[in-house]
Amino acid sequence: MPFTIGSRPEVARMPLDAPNTVMLKAGCAPGEPLRVPSPFVTVAEDDRAAGSPLCRVPGVTFGFGPGSRYRKQVGVVDGRLRTCSVVWKAPGTPDEPAAQYVMAGDPRMAALFAGLPEGAGHGLVRTDCNGRPTVFYGNAGSGLRGSGRPDDRRVFENFTESVSRRIGCGAGEGA
């Protein structure tokens, strides 16, 4: 759902704006104001239309077709969590999730995937990355299912391999 009170980075800063202002007025502000590094990436392109490669991950490619209403949503991008989503946007209706790709390299987040069917065919791979459990998850919803290029399974495998390399885990070791 879109934020109506500000951009994601602005909303993330709100809980710190109040204490920063109070400390400044009280004369006890630290040398540097409190801040939160935003885990949300700002995509350089103005166009948020879903394209190829999706979320700048090589090999994560779908046949969206011309005039598509699919939009990308790049979320967290760091060494312990990466998210990339596709939503279907239709005027006057809420965004409809169409595809999600996640790398969770934090033990507590990786535990959230416990009990789900595993393997590339199920879109869930567990591995160990530098001594910590890491999960790669991918799901194309019914609207995009079958439109992965060359196929949905290979798109998930490409996501796993590319993000694995980016976070220093080789090409999906143990996957």
Side-chain angles (χ1 to χ4, degrees):
M1 297 299 292
F3 282 50
T4 57
I5 58 174
S7 69
R8 284 184 172 109
E10 290 168 338
V11 171
R13 284 190 302 266
M14 282 181 182
L16 297 178
D17 286 345
N20 280 331
T21 301
V22 169
M23 288 186 299
L24 186 62
K25 298 240 184 231
C28 60
E32 292 286 320
L34 302 174
R35 66 179 199 73
V36 61
S38 176
F40 295 100
V41 70
T42 302
V43 181
E45 302 90 20
D46 288 335
D47 184 11
R48 296 204 187 278
S52 295
L54 186 63
C55 299
R56 296 185 180 178
V57 180
V60 179
T61 305
F62 288 90
F64 293 112
S68 153
R69 289 191 172 160
Y70 289 105
R71 299 290 179 254
K72 64 186 170 198
Q73 294 181 338
V74 180
V76 178
V77 178
D78 69 23
R80 293 189 180 258
L81 182 65
R82 288 182 186 234
T83 64
C84 172
S85 301
V86 178
V87 296
W88 172 259
K89 297 196 69 83
T93 64
D95 296 351
E96 181 181 325
Q100 296 81 35
Y101 290 87
V102 176
M103 179 283 300
D106 177 271
R108 289 180 288 179
M109 282 193 247
L112 296 173
F113 294 87
L116 295 176
E118 295 183 28
H122 294 289
L124 180 66
V125 173
R126 293 181 187 282
T127 188
D128 184 81
C129 179
N130 302 322
R132 68 179 195 263
T134 303
V135 173
F136 293 89
Y137 170 79
N139 178 49
S142 60
L144 282 180
R145 195 166 295 128
S147 65
R149 301 293 183 253
D151 60 56
D152 294 351
R153 181 178 177 142
R154 187 66 218 160
V155 168
F156 173 69
E157 290 168 347
N158 290 343
F159 172 79
T160 300
E161 291 167 8
S162 179
V163 174
S164 289
R165 279 192 299 275
R166 287 183 183 182
I167 64 173
C169 291
E173 299 160 1

